Each structure stands twice: as structure tokens, then as C-alpha cells.
């Protein structure tokens, strides 16, 4: 591990992933340890046009006694190299090697025996597919999905027939740039230079995103079709999203109280296809990244994540003081040992 750009207590490890058709490929694992040694860890995976900068999420888990890890996937954020197409892939399975490597570091090298995976948006789709494919490997013990990308946010004709045509184009000309963009509304709702409260690197997370390419749409569509056909994730899953979506490309204040990227009803509709242990939580006023919502909403989000982890992973906050030792049994002939009520209480 080496110092991360976030400064102490953040460290990072560069994962060498060999080369692809664009050249050398890396991923970056960022670590923030809890104050006391812990056997529990979180593995956080960002979304499209994103990278890890949400230090308050790490602070929440660290305060509960969890070590926190965040993975900047290949061609994203810290892992984006000058020769690469930002955020591009032709198969979501391309990200599995860095997820495998991160899990190996967390479990084997750093010695954690409980791992919670947390995926946002496209990261939620990737984590879901990875957890399904690795379900017999015991890599994760639970999953939190923050507004996962389970379907395209468009009318049916665009989501199905047009998306199928674009996917076919993507297999022939994967780098073809499509004539639409993500818009700036969501970015404006987040960044402190515009209408939000957060500061982050606009070169890695530009307001209008990066160009959307046909090969990426093919990868997303293939992954979403797999999910909608049904996965078999055997660990508990918490799916969290807003109560409503914002559907305009022009700014309005209501964009600060809704998901301005995806259709939240798609998340709710397809949640049961993940596996048998699904909890759904919806937050009024939540943004697309629920952890970047207004203070009152994100407080509720963190409280719900904490309760869910307590219930399903048996992972409450690490106590601040060591537990008191068990009392020694009474010595033979001790007066209390002859008391029937005391004997019943200690039986």
C-alpha cells in the first residue's frame, strides 16, 4: 500500500491486470482502516462516470469498526491511464479479475473473515453479476446495492428494440459514439461549484459524463438481461433507492430530491431476480447516489444500512471497551452456591 490522494488515513494499492487492446490495464484498491483491528471489511464499487471520493461513507463504516476498501475499476478514476477510453468495456465480466484480486487482498492478505460488498449504479449491476458467478467461492457475506442499474432509463421502444439494434452495432463497432449524453442535471445537483455540496475531480467525473459508446451499451444490455432472467445470489442483499425519479434534461429544484439518472421503479421491479434473500429500502428525497443526498436523507440511509448489517451479518458496532471477563464459579462451600435461587440463576 502507498499513500492515496485523499491523504491519511487512506492508502492505495495498484492491481496490475496485464494488457488489453488499448495497452496496460490497472485497477486501484483504496483502503481506510478502522481505529482498532477488525476482521470485518467493506468493498465499495462505484458507478459509471464515477470513482471513490465519498469519504463520509468510509467514515461511517470505520466508526462501526469496519475496515473500508474502495475499488476504482479499470479505466475509471485513479485507474484511468492516458492511452485508455474512459469508463469503457465490452463485457461487464472484464471487471471480475479486479474484484477477485480485491477480495483476495481483503480476505487472505489482510485477514478479514466478514466482507460486505457495496455497489452503486453500474457498480451495483457488476457486483450482482460477480456475486452470482462467484456464489460458491464464499467471497462476500452480504451485499448493499445503492440505486443499481438494472434497466435503461428510457421508454420501452428504446430499452428493447432500439437497444437491441445498438447492441448489435456495438459488437461490430464497439467504439462508435452514440448521439446522446447523460446530461448535466445530476452533476449540477452534486458538485459544490454548481448546486450541490460535494467536491470531486471533474476530469474523472465530468458533469455531462463521458461519451456513451455502442460497445458499452452492448455490455450493459447483456448484463441486465442476465439479471432479469434471474440470478442466484445466496447471501443477503439490501437494495436501496429513492422513492421517485426526475426525468427532465433541464434543471429544476426537484432534481435535488429524486434519482435524476435511473428509473427507480426498474430497481424495485427486478430486485426479486437477484436471489432469495432481498430487503428493499426506499428513501424519500434520495438522490441517485443515496449517500450524496441531503444530510437528513443520508442519515436515514446510513441508519438503515447499519440496522440491516446488524440483523443479517451479526455485525453491530465494535464495542469501545473490551467485554468484562466471565465471573469465576463459586468455590466449593461458598455460601451463595448453596442458595437454590442463585444455583438456578447460574445453571
Amino acid at each position: 500500500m502507498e499513500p492515496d490522494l485523499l491523504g491519511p488515513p487512506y492508502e492505495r494499492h495498484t492491481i496490475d491486470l496485464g494488457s488489453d487492446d488499448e495497452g496496460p490495464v490497472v485497477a486501484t484498491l483504496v483502503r481506510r482502516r478502522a481505529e482498532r483491528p477488525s476482521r470485518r471489511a467493506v468493498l465499495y464499487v462505484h458507478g459509471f462516470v464515477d470513482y471513490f471520493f465519498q469519504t463520509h461513507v468510509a467514515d461511517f463504516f470505520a466508526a462501526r469498526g469496519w475496515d473500508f476498501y474502495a475499488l476504482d475499476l479499470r479505466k475509471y478514476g485513479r485507474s484511468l491511464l492516458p492511452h485508455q477510453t474512459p469508463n469503457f468495456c465490452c463485457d461487464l465480466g472484464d471487471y471480475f479479475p479486479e474484484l477477485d484480486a480485491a477480495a483476495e487482498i481483503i480476505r487472505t492478505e489482510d485477514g478479514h473473515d466478514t466482507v460486505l460488498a457495496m455497489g452503486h449504479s453500474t457498480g451495483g449491476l457488476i457486483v450482482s453479476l460477480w456475486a452470482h458467478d462467484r456464489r460458491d467461492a464464499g467471497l462476500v457475506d452480504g451485499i448493499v446495492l445503492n440505486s443499481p442499474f438494472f434497466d435503461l432509463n428510457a421508454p420501452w421502444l428504446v430499452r428493447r428494440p432500439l437497444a437491441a439494434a445498438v447492441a448489435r452495432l456495438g459488437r461490430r463497432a464497439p467504439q462508435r459514439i452514440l448521439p446522446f449524453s447523460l446530461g448535466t442535471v445530476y452533476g449540477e445537483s452534486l458538485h459544490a461549484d454548481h448546486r450541490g455540496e460535494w467536491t470531486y475531480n471533474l476530469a474523472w467525473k465530468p458533469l455531462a459524463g463521458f461519451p456513451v459508446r455502442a460497445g458499452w451499451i452492448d455490455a450493459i444490455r447483456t448484463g441486465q438481461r442476465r439479471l432479469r432472467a434471474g440470478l442466484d445470489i445466496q447471501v443477503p442483499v439490501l437494495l436501496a433507492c429513492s422513492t421517485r425519479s426526475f426525468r427532465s434534461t433541464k434543471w429544476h429544484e426537484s432534481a435535488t430530491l429524486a434519482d435524476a439518472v435511473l428509473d427507480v421503479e426498474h430497481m424495485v421491479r427486478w430486485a426479486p431476480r437477484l436471489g432469495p434473500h432481498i430487503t428493499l429500502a426506499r428513501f424519500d428525497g434520495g438522490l441517485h447516489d443515496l449517500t450524496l443526498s441531503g444530510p437528513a436523507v443520508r442519515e436515514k440511509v446510513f441508519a438503515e444500512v447499519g440496522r440491516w448489517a446488524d440483523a443479517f451479518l451479526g455485525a453491530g458496532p465494535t464495542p469501545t471497551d473490551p467485554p468484562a471477563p466471565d465471573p469465576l464459579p463459586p468455590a466449593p462451600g461458598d455460601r451463595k452456591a448453596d442458595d437454590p435461587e442463585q444455583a438456578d440463576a447460574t445453571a
Side-chain angles (χ1 to χ4, degrees), residues 226-233 269-276 278:
R226 283 192 63 202
L227 180 139
R228 295 196 298 268
L231 303 180
D232 186 26
I233 299 173
R269 177 181 180 183
W270 300 116
R273 302 297 176 91
L274 291 163
I278 312 301

Side-chain angles (χ1 to χ4, degrees), residues 66-127:
W66 293 68
D67 288 341
F68 183 89
Y69 297 77
L71 185 63
D72 276 14
L73 299 167
R74 62 183 71 195
K75 307 187 184 184
Y76 283 85
R78 298 164 178 80
S79 307
L80 179 61
L81 302 178
H83 59 273
Q84 293 177 327
T85 303
N87 300 188
F88 181 70
C89 76
C90 290
D91 185 337
L92 297 184
D94 290 348
Y95 299 118
F96 292 2
E98 51 254 57
L99 286 164
D100 292 341
E104 174 73 12
I105 291 169
I106 294 168
R107 283 196 177 273
T108 303
E109 295 186 19
D110 287 358
H112 297 90
D113 50 30
T114 300
V115 178
L116 170 65
M118 186 174 187
H120 167 56
S121 196
T122 304
L125 176 61
I126 294 166
V127 164

Side-chain angles (χ1 to χ4, degrees), residues 188-213:
E188 289 180 37
S189 74
L190 298 182
H191 203 277
D193 289 348
H194 297 271
R195 307 171 195 269
E197 62 174 295
W198 307 100
T199 300
Y200 50 82
N201 187 336
L202 289 172
W204 291 347
K205 187 178 174 64
L207 292 186
F210 294 109
V212 176
R213 298 173 187 268

Side-chain angles (χ1 to χ4, degrees), residues 91-290:
D91 185 337
L92 297 184
D94 290 348
Y95 299 118
F96 292 2
E98 51 254 57
L99 286 164
D100 292 341
E104 174 73 12
I105 291 169
I106 294 168
R107 283 196 177 273
T108 303
E109 295 186 19
D110 287 358
H112 297 90
D113 50 30
T114 300
V115 178
L116 170 65
M118 186 174 187
H120 167 56
S121 196
T122 304
L125 176 61
I126 294 166
V127 164
S128 298
L129 297 171
W130 174 68
H132 168 80
D133 283 3
R134 303 291 191 265
R135 61 190 178 278
D136 295 327
L139 299 183
V140 298
D141 301 284
I143 298 172
V144 173
L145 301 177
N146 171 3
S147 307
F149 188 12
F150 286 172
D151 212 339
L152 300 173
N153 186 11
W156 181 86
L157 285 174
V158 176
R159 297 201 315 271
R160 299 298 181 261
L162 182 57
V166 171
R168 289 192 294 271
L169 172 64
R171 291 189 281 276
R172 297 193 308 271
Q175 291 279 4
R176 180 75 61 84
I177 295 176
L178 301 178
F180 60 86
S181 69
L182 301 178
T184 63
V185 169
Y186 180 55
E188 289 180 37
S189 74
L190 298 182
H191 203 277
D193 289 348
H194 297 271
R195 307 171 195 269
E197 62 174 295
W198 307 100
T199 300
Y200 50 82
N201 187 336
L202 289 172
W204 291 347
K205 187 178 174 64
L207 292 186
F210 294 109
V212 176
R213 298 173 187 268
W216 183 82
I217 288 292
D218 181 36
I220 293 296
R221 181 175 179 272
T222 299
Q224 290 176 341
R225 291 180 68 191
R226 283 192 63 202
L227 180 139
R228 295 196 298 268
L231 303 180
D232 186 26
I233 299 173
Q234 288 298 308
V235 299
V237 178
L238 171 64
L239 191 152
C241 63
S242 183
T243 56
R244 58 188 179 273
S245 296
F246 176 83
R247 292 184 172 84
S248 175
T249 58
K250 296 182 179 179
W251 175 260
H252 189 276
E253 287 300 320
S254 57
T256 64
L257 299 171
D259 190 322
V261 178
L262 297 179
D263 187 331
V264 295
E265 298 308 322
H266 292 160
M267 306 170 199
V268 175
R269 177 181 180 183
W270 300 116
R273 302 297 176 91
L274 291 163
H277 309 290
I278 312 301
T279 303
L280 177 65
R282 303 187 70 173
F283 297 91
D284 189 33
L287 297 183
H288 177 54
D289 185 342
L290 291 168

